[in-house]
Amino acid sequence: MEKSSSTDSQPDPSSLGTAQSRRKSSVNAIAAAKARNQPIQGIEDVALLSEADRRLAELGYAQVYKREFSWLSCFSFATSISGLFASVATTYVYPLEAGGTSSAVWGWLISGGGCMCIALSVAELVSAYPTSGGLYFTCKFLAPPRWVPEISWLCGWLNLLGQIAGAASTSYGCAQLLLAAVSMGSDFSYIPTDDHTVGVMAGLSLLYGFINSLNTSILEKITRGYVLFHIGILVSCCITLLVMTKDKHSSAYVWTDTTVSSGWSPVGFSFLFGFLSASWTMTDYDATAHIAEEIKNPEIKAPWSIAGALTFTYIGGWLFTIVLSYCAGDIAKTLASPIAQPVAQIFYDNIGKGGGIFFTVAAFIILSFTAITAIQAGARTVWAFSRDELLPLSRIWYKINKTTQTPLYAVWVFVIVCILINLIGLGSYTAIAAIFNLTAIALDWSYCIPIMCKMASGKFERGPWHLGKFSYAINLWAVVWTTFVTIIYVLPTIRPVTAENVSDPFPSYPRAVLMESQMNYVCVILAAVGFFAVGYWYAAGRYYYTGPRVKAQLVEGQVVGESTHLGGDEEKIAVES
């Protein structure tokens, strides 16, 4: 079969609302192809298509992956991306510093509510446009037609940046938890260093990359059992802590006492940093959307999984935070843990060495699942963006391996970039922490851009899963909350701020932790990324990128489409008889 030109016919996004307009656009594309003497290729009877594949073709793409993900594996995937148990374990330090236990429990309750509005808004958009491009793809239909390329460009790069930073920070967190368990086993005679952490991170990242090199069927089976393991560990840990902690805090202390260790004043301002734990745990809402083309009936399963998983994370995370707060012991001692992991120290103090190691290793395993799913979602994002020629060398990252039917090049470029970013930790943990902090900012704004377009355009055609009459209010609060919490993200969590870390609020802290706490360069990194994205657009992007492309269209009798690199094989495009 002869390959067609890579030139795409871009229909007017404002006319894509109905099947009739899609067919009309496709007929015009066919006529244009014929006028250029380009072949129309990949003809297949529409009767052979599933409803999901047919819908994907209507949206402009041909099915490439096998749809292996079921209800359980889809929900498990959506749950794993937050890594509730492990994420709370690694972020509990921020509310504890900000205002003690009351900041932790109230901060999670309030912040989690804002995060749920973002999650529900994302789920609604995913139901209407279930493709591997995620919310970036929705800009094609919701943004003003004149600004589709620019808005899609910004949204796409923000999303990719957030996913890379998120996957990198997750792998780094896995290394920290594993080494914390080793330190605990040595009775803290071994103290992890930045060099050790980066080395372990690199090895783990390669392992996660290898797992993501397997075919979709194996990945689905690996993912399926995660949620059951996670729930089992979460419940058993909560029960064990409540039973074995001898001196629990009183309810009055947990819910009302405010102990500020951050140096911020007034107390109410410091209290706001309690929002960070939930906001950093409940993010990457659209990860499930990036595997939409591997899910059976994604327009239903993907949004239900996102909504269900984030509801579980919201409630489960709050309950776990409450348990930790009752069992936190002496706050100053917990914060001064030599392994810089307050929750691991709580395990050790209350359950003992054996129990502490067990639950710390369990947290490592759970966070490893998060890293695996983050890399899978990130690789699919690279592949989907390359399909639209958003990225440099797109023709390479777009290739699908014939054996595994997965984008191996996309997987490994994503893994390598994550490792390279983490290597910054060898020179400056402050800089690497700032990059990690970009995760929630970049991802949340990559969601809010399409949400704002949806609210302003009036062109949104909802899918089978929607928010009904509450949609606008939930969307509005998602944008308002993101704007508010972004201000908190860019502020240092500890004062006074000194580049040399002269003022040590906790003298026994390892130097890396002090550097992370006292300096927050995220605003500098964010500005640098913004300048790069804008500069790259004007230097190159505007000359080749036109927004999400049309690779296939259903028409009556035939279809126009272009080939996909499947290790040398051509892509089959469905047609409507």
Short mmCIF file of all heavy atoms in Angstrom, two decimals, residues 216-261:
data_model
loop_
_atom_site.label_atom_id
_atom_site.label_comp_id
_atom_site.label_asym_id
_atom_site.label_seq_id
_atom_site.Cartn_x
_atom_site.Cartn_y
_atom_site.Cartn_z
N THR A 216 0.00 -4.32 25.80
CA THR A 216 -1.10 -3.77 26.58
C THR A 216 -1.79 -4.82 27.43
O THR A 216 -2.23 -4.55 28.55
CB THR A 216 -2.13 -3.10 25.64
OG1 THR A 216 -1.47 -2.08 24.89
CG2 THR A 216 -3.27 -2.48 26.42
N SER A 217 -1.88 -6.03 26.93
CA SER A 217 -2.54 -7.10 27.67
C SER A 217 -1.83 -7.37 29.00
O SER A 217 -2.47 -7.53 30.05
CB SER A 217 -2.59 -8.38 26.83
OG SER A 217 -3.15 -9.45 27.57
N ILE A 218 -0.50 -7.41 28.97
CA ILE A 218 0.27 -7.65 30.20
C ILE A 218 0.15 -6.45 31.14
O ILE A 218 -0.01 -6.61 32.34
CB ILE A 218 1.74 -7.94 29.86
CG1 ILE A 218 1.85 -9.22 29.04
CG2 ILE A 218 2.58 -8.04 31.13
CD1 ILE A 218 3.26 -9.54 28.58
N LEU A 219 0.21 -5.24 30.57
CA LEU A 219 0.07 -4.04 31.40
C LEU A 219 -1.29 -4.01 32.09
O LEU A 219 -1.41 -3.61 33.25
CB LEU A 219 0.25 -2.79 30.54
CG LEU A 219 1.66 -2.49 30.04
CD1 LEU A 219 1.65 -1.32 29.07
CD2 LEU A 219 2.60 -2.20 31.20
N GLU A 220 -2.31 -4.44 31.37
CA GLU A 220 -3.65 -4.48 31.96
C GLU A 220 -3.71 -5.44 33.13
O GLU A 220 -4.30 -5.14 34.17
CB GLU A 220 -4.67 -4.88 30.88
CG GLU A 220 -6.12 -4.79 31.31
CD GLU A 220 -6.65 -6.06 31.95
OE1 GLU A 220 -6.02 -7.12 31.75
OE2 GLU A 220 -7.67 -6.00 32.68
N LYS A 221 -3.08 -6.60 32.99
CA LYS A 221 -3.07 -7.59 34.07
C LYS A 221 -2.28 -7.09 35.28
O LYS A 221 -2.66 -7.33 36.43
CB LYS A 221 -2.49 -8.92 33.56
CG LYS A 221 -3.39 -9.65 32.56
CD LYS A 221 -2.75 -10.96 32.12
CE LYS A 221 -3.67 -11.75 31.21
NZ LYS A 221 -3.97 -11.04 29.96
N ILE A 222 -1.17 -6.40 35.03
CA ILE A 222 -0.38 -5.84 36.12
C ILE A 222 -1.18 -4.79 36.87
O ILE A 222 -1.18 -4.73 38.10
CB ILE A 222 0.94 -5.23 35.58
CG1 ILE A 222 1.86 -6.33 35.04
CG2 ILE A 222 1.65 -4.43 36.66
CD1 ILE A 222 3.10 -5.81 34.34
N THR A 223 -1.88 -3.96 36.12
CA THR A 223 -2.64 -2.85 36.72
C THR A 223 -3.84 -3.35 37.51
O THR A 223 -4.22 -2.76 38.53
CB THR A 223 -3.12 -1.89 35.62
OG1 THR A 223 -1.99 -1.46 34.85
CG2 THR A 223 -3.81 -0.68 36.22
N ARG A 224 -4.45 -4.44 37.07
CA ARG A 224 -5.73 -4.90 37.61
C ARG A 224 -5.70 -5.12 39.11
O ARG A 224 -6.64 -4.74 39.83
CB ARG A 224 -6.15 -6.19 36.90
CG ARG A 224 -7.57 -6.62 37.18
CD ARG A 224 -7.80 -8.01 36.60
NE ARG A 224 -7.48 -8.07 35.17
CZ ARG A 224 -7.32 -9.20 34.50
NH1 ARG A 224 -7.41 -10.36 35.14
NH2 ARG A 224 -7.06 -9.17 33.21
N GLY A 225 -4.64 -5.72 39.63
CA GLY A 225 -4.61 -6.07 41.04
C GLY A 225 -4.14 -4.96 41.96
O GLY A 225 -4.20 -5.10 43.18
N TYR A 226 -3.73 -3.83 41.37
CA TYR A 226 -3.15 -2.76 42.18
C TYR A 226 -4.13 -2.23 43.21
O TYR A 226 -3.79 -2.05 44.38
CB TYR A 226 -2.68 -1.62 41.28
CG TYR A 226 -2.44 -0.33 42.02
CD1 TYR A 226 -1.25 -0.12 42.71
CD2 TYR A 226 -3.42 0.65 42.08
CE1 TYR A 226 -1.04 1.05 43.43
CE2 TYR A 226 -3.23 1.82 42.79
CZ TYR A 226 -2.04 2.01 43.46
OH TYR A 226 -1.84 3.16 44.16
N VAL A 227 -5.35 -1.92 42.79
CA VAL A 227 -6.29 -1.24 43.68
C VAL A 227 -6.62 -2.10 44.89
O VAL A 227 -6.79 -1.59 46.01
CB VAL A 227 -7.57 -0.83 42.91
CG1 VAL A 227 -8.39 -2.04 42.49
CG2 VAL A 227 -8.42 0.11 43.76
N LEU A 228 -6.68 -3.43 44.71
CA LEU A 228 -6.98 -4.32 45.82
C LEU A 228 -5.83 -4.32 46.82
O LEU A 228 -6.05 -4.28 48.05
CB LEU A 228 -7.25 -5.73 45.30
CG LEU A 228 -8.39 -5.86 44.28
CD1 LEU A 228 -8.51 -7.30 43.78
CD2 LEU A 228 -9.71 -5.39 44.89
N PHE A 229 -4.60 -4.35 46.31
CA PHE A 229 -3.43 -4.29 47.18
C PHE A 229 -3.39 -2.96 47.93
O PHE A 229 -3.13 -2.92 49.14
CB PHE A 229 -2.16 -4.46 46.33
CG PHE A 229 -0.88 -4.30 47.09
CD1 PHE A 229 -0.39 -5.31 47.90
CD2 PHE A 229 -0.14 -3.11 47.02
CE1 PHE A 229 0.79 -5.17 48.61
CE2 PHE A 229 1.04 -2.95 47.71
CZ PHE A 229 1.51 -3.99 48.52
N HIS A 230 -3.68 -1.89 47.24
CA HIS A 230 -3.64 -0.55 47.82
C HIS A 230 -4.65 -0.42 48.97
O HIS A 230 -4.32 0.05 50.06
CB HIS A 230 -3.94 0.49 46.74
CG HIS A 230 -3.61 1.89 47.14
ND1 HIS A 230 -3.57 2.92 46.25
CD2 HIS A 230 -3.31 2.44 48.34
CE1 HIS A 230 -3.25 4.05 46.87
NE2 HIS A 230 -3.09 3.78 48.15
N ILE A 231 -5.88 -0.83 48.71
CA ILE A 231 -6.91 -0.75 49.74
C ILE A 231 -6.55 -1.60 50.95
O ILE A 231 -6.71 -1.18 52.11
CB ILE A 231 -8.28 -1.17 49.17
CG1 ILE A 231 -8.75 -0.15 48.12
CG2 ILE A 231 -9.32 -1.29 50.28
CD1 ILE A 231 -10.02 -0.55 47.39
N GLY A 232 -6.01 -2.80 50.69
CA GLY A 232 -5.60 -3.68 51.78
C GLY A 232 -4.54 -3.07 52.67
O GLY A 232 -4.62 -3.11 53.90
N ILE A 233 -3.52 -2.46 52.05
CA ILE A 233 -2.45 -1.82 52.81
C ILE A 233 -2.97 -0.61 53.58
O ILE A 233 -2.64 -0.41 54.76
CB ILE A 233 -1.30 -1.39 51.87
CG1 ILE A 233 -0.56 -2.62 51.32
CG2 ILE A 233 -0.33 -0.46 52.57
CD1 ILE A 233 0.16 -3.43 52.38
N LEU A 234 -3.80 0.20 52.94
CA LEU A 234 -4.33 1.40 53.57
C LEU A 234 -5.14 1.06 54.82
O LEU A 234 -4.94 1.64 55.90
CB LEU A 234 -5.19 2.18 52.58
CG LEU A 234 -5.79 3.50 53.07
CD1 LEU A 234 -4.70 4.51 53.38
CD2 LEU A 234 -6.76 4.07 52.02
N VAL A 235 -6.05 0.10 54.69
CA VAL A 235 -6.91 -0.29 55.81
C VAL A 235 -6.08 -0.92 56.93
O VAL A 235 -6.24 -0.58 58.12
CB VAL A 235 -8.02 -1.25 55.34
CG1 VAL A 235 -8.80 -1.81 56.53
CG2 VAL A 235 -8.97 -0.53 54.38
N SER A 236 -5.18 -1.83 56.57
CA SER A 236 -4.38 -2.52 57.59
C SER A 236 -3.45 -1.54 58.31
O SER A 236 -3.25 -1.66 59.53
CB SER A 236 -3.56 -3.64 56.95
OG SER A 236 -2.64 -3.14 55.98
N CYS A 237 -2.92 -0.56 57.60
CA CYS A 237 -2.04 0.43 58.23
C CYS A 237 -2.81 1.29 59.22
O CYS A 237 -2.34 1.54 60.34
CB CYS A 237 -1.38 1.30 57.17
SG CYS A 237 -0.24 2.52 57.83
N CYS A 238 -3.99 1.74 58.83
CA CYS A 238 -4.80 2.57 59.72
C CYS A 238 -5.17 1.81 61.00
O CYS A 238 -5.05 2.34 62.11
CB CYS A 238 -6.07 3.04 59.00
SG CYS A 238 -5.77 4.25 57.69
N ILE A 239 -5.58 0.57 60.84
CA ILE A 239 -5.96 -0.24 62.00
C ILE A 239 -4.75 -0.48 62.90
O ILE A 239 -4.83 -0.35 64.13
CB ILE A 239 -6.58 -1.58 61.55
CG1 ILE A 239 -7.92 -1.33 60.84
CG2 ILE A 239 -6.77 -2.52 62.73
CD1 ILE A 239 -8.53 -2.57 60.24
N THR A 240 -3.61 -0.83 62.29
CA THR A 240 -2.40 -1.12 63.06
C THR A 240 -1.94 0.10 63.85
O THR A 240 -1.58 0.00 65.03
CB THR A 240 -1.27 -1.59 62.11
OG1 THR A 240 -1.70 -2.73 61.38
CG2 THR A 240 -0.02 -1.94 62.90
N LEU A 241 -1.96 1.27 63.21
CA LEU A 241 -1.54 2.49 63.91
C LEU A 241 -2.47 2.80 65.08
O LEU A 241 -2.01 3.12 66.18
CB LEU A 241 -1.52 3.67 62.93
CG LEU A 241 -0.29 3.82 62.03
CD1 LEU A 241 -0.50 4.94 61.03
CD2 LEU A 241 0.96 4.09 62.86
N LEU A 242 -3.77 2.70 64.86
CA LEU A 242 -4.73 3.03 65.91
C LEU A 242 -4.63 2.06 67.09
O LEU A 242 -4.80 2.44 68.25
CB LEU A 242 -6.15 3.03 65.35
CG LEU A 242 -6.47 4.17 64.38
CD1 LEU A 242 -7.85 3.97 63.77
CD2 LEU A 242 -6.38 5.52 65.08
N VAL A 243 -4.32 0.79 66.79
CA VAL A 243 -4.23 -0.22 67.85
C VAL A 243 -2.92 -0.10 68.61
O VAL A 243 -2.88 -0.21 69.85
CB VAL A 243 -4.40 -1.63 67.26
CG1 VAL A 243 -4.07 -2.69 68.30
CG2 VAL A 243 -5.82 -1.83 66.75
N MET A 244 -1.81 0.13 67.91
CA MET A 244 -0.50 0.04 68.53
C MET A 244 0.05 1.37 69.06
O MET A 244 1.02 1.38 69.80
CB MET A 244 0.50 -0.56 67.54
CG MET A 244 0.15 -1.98 67.12
SD MET A 244 1.48 -2.83 66.26
CE MET A 244 2.69 -3.01 67.58
N THR A 245 -0.57 2.49 68.67
CA THR A 245 -0.12 3.78 69.21
C THR A 245 -0.64 3.94 70.63
O THR A 245 -1.85 4.00 70.86
CB THR A 245 -0.61 4.93 68.33
OG1 THR A 245 -0.11 4.76 67.00
CG2 THR A 245 -0.13 6.26 68.88
N LYS A 246 0.27 4.03 71.57
CA LYS A 246 -0.14 4.09 72.99
C LYS A 246 -0.61 5.49 73.38
O LYS A 246 -1.61 5.64 74.07
CB LYS A 246 1.04 3.67 73.87
CG LYS A 246 1.47 2.22 73.65
CD LYS A 246 2.66 1.86 74.52
CE LYS A 246 3.09 0.42 74.28
NZ LYS A 246 4.28 0.05 75.12
N ASP A 247 0.12 6.50 72.99
CA ASP A 247 -0.22 7.86 73.40
C ASP A 247 -0.74 8.64 72.20
O ASP A 247 0.02 9.35 71.51
CB ASP A 247 1.01 8.55 73.99
CG ASP A 247 1.53 7.84 75.23
OD1 ASP A 247 0.69 7.44 76.06
OD2 ASP A 247 2.77 7.68 75.36
N LYS A 248 -2.03 8.51 71.97
CA LYS A 248 -2.64 9.23 70.85
C LYS A 248 -2.97 10.65 71.29
O LYS A 248 -3.22 10.93 72.46
CB LYS A 248 -3.92 8.53 70.40
CG LYS A 248 -3.76 7.11 69.92
CD LYS A 248 -5.08 6.56 69.44
CE LYS A 248 -4.97 5.08 69.09
NZ LYS A 248 -4.76 4.25 70.29
N HIS A 249 -2.97 11.54 70.32
CA HIS A 249 -3.40 12.90 70.58
C HIS A 249 -4.90 12.92 70.84
O HIS A 249 -5.65 12.09 70.32
CB HIS A 249 -3.07 13.82 69.40
CG HIS A 249 -1.61 14.07 69.22
ND1 HIS A 249 -0.82 14.63 70.20
CD2 HIS A 249 -0.78 13.84 68.16
CE1 HIS A 249 0.42 14.74 69.76
NE2 HIS A 249 0.47 14.26 68.53
N SER A 250 -5.35 13.90 71.59
CA SER A 250 -6.78 14.06 71.84
C SER A 250 -7.45 14.66 70.61
O SER A 250 -6.80 15.26 69.74
CB SER A 250 -7.01 14.98 73.03
OG SER A 250 -6.56 16.30 72.73
N SER A 251 -8.77 14.50 70.52
CA SER A 251 -9.51 15.07 69.39
C SER A 251 -9.39 16.58 69.37
O SER A 251 -9.29 17.20 68.29
CB SER A 251 -10.98 14.66 69.47
OG SER A 251 -11.10 13.26 69.28
N ALA A 252 -9.38 17.19 70.55
CA ALA A 252 -9.25 18.65 70.61
C ALA A 252 -7.92 19.08 70.00
O ALA A 252 -7.85 20.09 69.27
CB ALA A 252 -9.35 19.12 72.05
N TYR A 253 -6.86 18.33 70.27
CA TYR A 253 -5.54 18.67 69.73
C TYR A 253 -5.54 18.48 68.21
O TYR A 253 -5.08 19.36 67.46
CB TYR A 253 -4.48 17.79 70.37
CG TYR A 253 -3.08 18.06 69.85
CD1 TYR A 253 -2.28 19.03 70.44
CD2 TYR A 253 -2.56 17.34 68.78
CE1 TYR A 253 -1.00 19.30 69.96
CE2 TYR A 253 -1.29 17.59 68.29
CZ TYR A 253 -0.51 18.56 68.89
OH TYR A 253 0.74 18.82 68.41
N VAL A 254 -6.02 17.34 67.74
CA VAL A 254 -5.96 17.02 66.31
C VAL A 254 -6.73 18.03 65.47
O VAL A 254 -6.27 18.47 64.41
CB VAL A 254 -6.50 15.59 66.06
CG1 VAL A 254 -6.69 15.34 64.56
CG2 VAL A 254 -5.54 14.56 66.64
N TRP A 255 -7.91 18.43 65.94
CA TRP A 255 -8.80 19.25 65.13
C TRP A 255 -8.67 20.75 65.36
O TRP A 255 -9.13 21.54 64.53
CB TRP A 255 -10.25 18.84 65.36
CG TRP A 255 -10.53 17.43 64.89
CD1 TRP A 255 -10.41 16.28 65.63
CD2 TRP A 255 -10.95 17.04 63.59
NE1 TRP A 255 -10.73 15.19 64.86
CE2 TRP A 255 -11.07 15.62 63.60
CE3 TRP A 255 -11.25 17.71 62.42
CZ2 TRP A 255 -11.46 14.89 62.49
CZ3 TRP A 255 -11.64 16.99 61.30
CH2 TRP A 255 -11.74 15.60 61.35
N THR A 256 -8.04 21.16 66.46
CA THR A 256 -8.02 22.59 66.76
C THR A 256 -6.63 23.16 67.04
O THR A 256 -6.42 24.36 66.88
CB THR A 256 -8.92 22.91 67.98
OG1 THR A 256 -8.39 22.24 69.15
CG2 THR A 256 -10.35 22.44 67.73
N ASP A 257 -5.68 22.34 67.45
CA ASP A 257 -4.38 22.88 67.79
C ASP A 257 -3.61 23.31 66.54
O ASP A 257 -3.55 22.57 65.55
CB ASP A 257 -3.55 21.84 68.56
CG ASP A 257 -2.21 22.42 69.00
OD1 ASP A 257 -2.19 23.15 69.99
OD2 ASP A 257 -1.21 22.12 68.32
N THR A 258 -3.04 24.48 66.59
CA THR A 258 -2.25 25.00 65.48
C THR A 258 -0.84 25.28 65.95
O THR A 258 -0.60 26.24 66.69
CB THR A 258 -2.89 26.28 64.90
OG1 THR A 258 -4.22 26.01 64.51
CG2 THR A 258 -2.10 26.77 63.70
N THR A 259 0.08 24.43 65.52
CA THR A 259 1.49 24.59 65.87
C THR A 259 2.24 24.95 64.60
O THR A 259 2.44 24.11 63.72
CB THR A 259 2.06 23.31 66.48
OG1 THR A 259 1.29 22.94 67.63
CG2 THR A 259 3.51 23.50 66.87
N VAL A 260 2.65 26.20 64.49
CA VAL A 260 3.30 26.67 63.27
C VAL A 260 4.80 26.47 63.37
O VAL A 260 5.45 27.00 64.27
CB VAL A 260 2.98 28.15 63.02
CG1 VAL A 260 3.71 28.65 61.78
CG2 VAL A 260 1.48 28.35 62.86
N SER A 261 5.34 25.68 62.46
CA SER A 261 6.79 25.46 62.40
C SER A 261 7.39 26.03 61.13
O SER A 261 8.55 25.78 60.82
CB SER A 261 7.08 23.96 62.48
OG SER A 261 6.54 23.39 63.65
#
